[in-house]
Amino acid sequence: MVFDSVITSTVMLIGVSVATLVGALLIIRLAPSLGLVQKPTNRCSHIQPTPRGGGLSFVVISLLATTVCLWNEVSSGSLLTVLLCGGALIAAIGFCDDLYQLSIKKRLGAQILIIAASVYTLLPAPAIELWGIRLQSDVICWGITALALVWWLNLFNFMDGIDGLAGMEATCILTTAGGLMYYQQGAASSLVLLPMLILTASLAGFILVNWAPAKIFMGDVGSTFLGYTLGMLAATTVYSGALNLWVWLILPGVFWVDATFTLLRRMLRGDRWYQAHQSHTYQRVSRYLVEPEGKNLTRKAAHRRVTLIALALNVCWLLPLATMALFWPVWGLPLVMIAWAPLVALAAYYGAGKPGNIPLPAEGNVSPSTLRKELPLKI
């Protein structure tokens, strides 16, 4: 059992949400003195100074709650220990980056070491079977999984660019993947469901202050932690057979496609792909939706609309296809292609990865018609 009773679990999860909210509000209060206020630039999607590093609240609270469960033997296992240690290290690097702007070499090098060590604890790996070919190699699976999770972690960080999007996406992935796993395995899935439930509850508290207009951003400390934790949970469920690879390619499809399409195009063009920019699909769509009256109000509405569109795609399009891939894994690859096809089309239509940014209407001199003339953008 994940918890001894429904009442205990409910009280604990509500407490986690409230504690996260209080922690986020405290960070908002302390942000100026800590140097955690992000000023607007032509590479970001906000127009006023906003505290960042708010992800520290759900990082600390979710890790503390998981530790309490581990100490009180509510749940046990090496997965929780790995999530605690690896998650804390990844978050620490992210927080240092929020404070001091670490170099890409230092960040990426540390992330590779932590993820490689984390994935190693999941071995032995299952055999890889595709189109009748069977491969049984722990070394190859370890390398492929580690590289995939490094990309996923940074991908998630890149996609944290407008109010509420990353928090909503993580919450949606956790709830849908957890629901599919529980339907498939019932109480046998409790070891993985525990950190999923705790992190979901913590994110629910944080989203209250991160929803548009955001009072605080999660920062690298939050986005990299979410990327690491979701990646490790995905690898664990794939290795154990609780969920298959196709499910994890489909459920986060919005993030997989947008970030991969955008970053590959920027890499091919020779851009500094690791630097902040405004060429992701979600960023261009949010700019496209900006309306003339009242800069703050319209930007808030645009961010909300894009986030809700992503939520609708997750629930109405990707979840049904992921469910089909779970029950009919032989059709997994075609289902992934079907799931991704309209997302790739959207990225191409809105010019994801195209050089240059849509101008900020900070001075009120850019009309919606001007923004709309830039879209659709040619590939």
Side-chain angles (χ1 to χ4, degrees):
M1 297 295 291
V2 176
F3 297 107
D4 292 334
S5 69
V6 174
I7 296 177
T8 302
S9 62
T10 302
V11 170
M12 177 178 177
L13 294 177
I14 291 175
V16 166
S17 296
V18 173
T20 302
L21 176 59
V22 172
L25 293 173
L26 180 61
I27 294 172
I28 292 173
R29 177 69 64 88
L30 297 176
S33 59
L34 295 175
L36 286 173
V37 177
Q38 183 170 325
K39 297 179 180 179
T41 68
N42 63 349
R43 290 178 176 176
C44 65
S45 298
H46 65 287
I47 59 175
Q48 58 187 9
T50 306
R52 68 179 185 273
L56 185 63
S57 61
F58 62 74
V59 169
V60 171
I61 298 303
S62 62
L63 291 180
L64 283 176
T66 304
T67 302
V68 169
C69 291
L70 194 59
W71 281 350
N72 287 277
E73 299 182 349
V74 173
S75 185
S76 60
S78 61
L79 173 63
L80 295 185
T81 304
V82 171
L83 288 177
L84 287 171
C85 297
L89 289 173
I90 289 290
I93 295 168
F95 191 62
C96 288
D97 193 32
D98 285 329
L99 289 171
Y100 307 116
Q101 298 295 302
L102 302 178
S103 69
I104 180 64
K105 291 182 180 179
K106 291 180 180 179
R107 293 199 316 267
L108 194 58
Q111 290 168 359
I112 291 173
L113 289 175
I114 295 168
I115 289 175
S118 300
V119 174
Y120 185 79
T121 66
L122 302 179
L123 299 177
I128 299 175
E129 295 187 32
L130 190 61
W131 297 310
I133 301 174
R134 180 182 177 87
L135 176 64
Q136 180 77 60
S137 172
D138 284 349
V139 174
I140 292 177
C141 287
W142 176 40
I144 292 174
T145 304
L147 288 175
L149 294 195
V150 169
W151 171 237
W152 168 252
L153 182 152
N154 286 281
L155 172 158
F156 204 94
N157 185 30
F158 295 146
M159 292 295 288
D160 178 32
I162 63 173
D163 300 347
L165 180 63
M168 181 282 300
E169 180 73 9
T171 303
C172 193
I173 293 171
L174 288 166
T175 52
T176 52
L180 289 175
M181 187 168 54
Y182 186 78
Y183 182 83
Q184 184 87 332
Q185 293 194 326
S189 60
S190 60
L191 177 61
V192 182
L193 280 178
L194 174 65
M196 283 184 165
L197 285 170
I198 290 174
L199 185 53
T200 301
S202 193
L203 284 170
F206 178 73
I207 287 175
L208 294 176
V209 290
N210 184 239
W211 192 253
K215 296 179 177 63
I216 189 169
F217 302 143
M218 67 172 62
D220 286 357
V221 61
S223 58
T224 55
F225 173 80
L226 289 178
Y228 170 83
T229 303
L230 288 171
M232 285 301 298
L233 290 171
T236 300
T237 58
V238 171
Y239 276 29
S240 67
L243 295 175
N244 58 49
L245 175 63
W246 312 119
V247 171
W248 286 104
L249 288 175
I250 294 173
L251 282 180
V254 171
F255 273 30
W256 277 123
V257 172
D258 190 345
T260 302
F261 186 101
T262 302
L263 272 296
L264 282 178
R265 191 172 187 188
R266 286 171 56 81
M267 288 177 182
L268 291 173
R269 199 171 53 247
D271 291 350
R272 293 185 177 182
W273 56 270
Y274 49 85
Q275 286 188 344
H277 58 91
Q278 291 186 34
S279 59
H280 283 289
T281 307
Y282 73 89
Q283 291 170 321
R284 290 192 172 270
V285 174
S286 67
R287 290 301 180 93
Y288 179 68
L289 294 175
V290 170
E291 297 171 358
E293 66 278 357
K295 296 185 291 294
N296 241 2
L297 175 62
T298 55
R299 186 169 297 272
K300 173 183 69 176
H303 285 201
R304 282 182 177 176
R305 197 172 302 176
V306 171
T307 301
L308 291 174
I309 289 171
L311 177 61
L313 285 171
N314 287 336
V315 175
C316 301
W317 177 246
L318 298 175
L319 177 57
L321 291 170
T323 304
M324 294 172 65
L326 177 63
F327 291 109
W328 296 288
V330 68
W331 295 99
L333 183 58
L335 287 169
V336 171
M337 296 173 66
I338 292 170
W340 284 18
L343 303 177
V344 172
L346 283 172
Y349 182 81
Y350 283 102
K354 188 176 184 292
N357 297 321
I358 300 175
L360 279 168
E363 302 300 327
N365 56 358
V366 180
S367 68
S369 60
T370 302
L371 296 178
R372 286 177 168 80
K373 284 178 182 177
E374 300 209 20
L375 299 168
L377 301 169
K378 293 182 179 179
I379 303 303

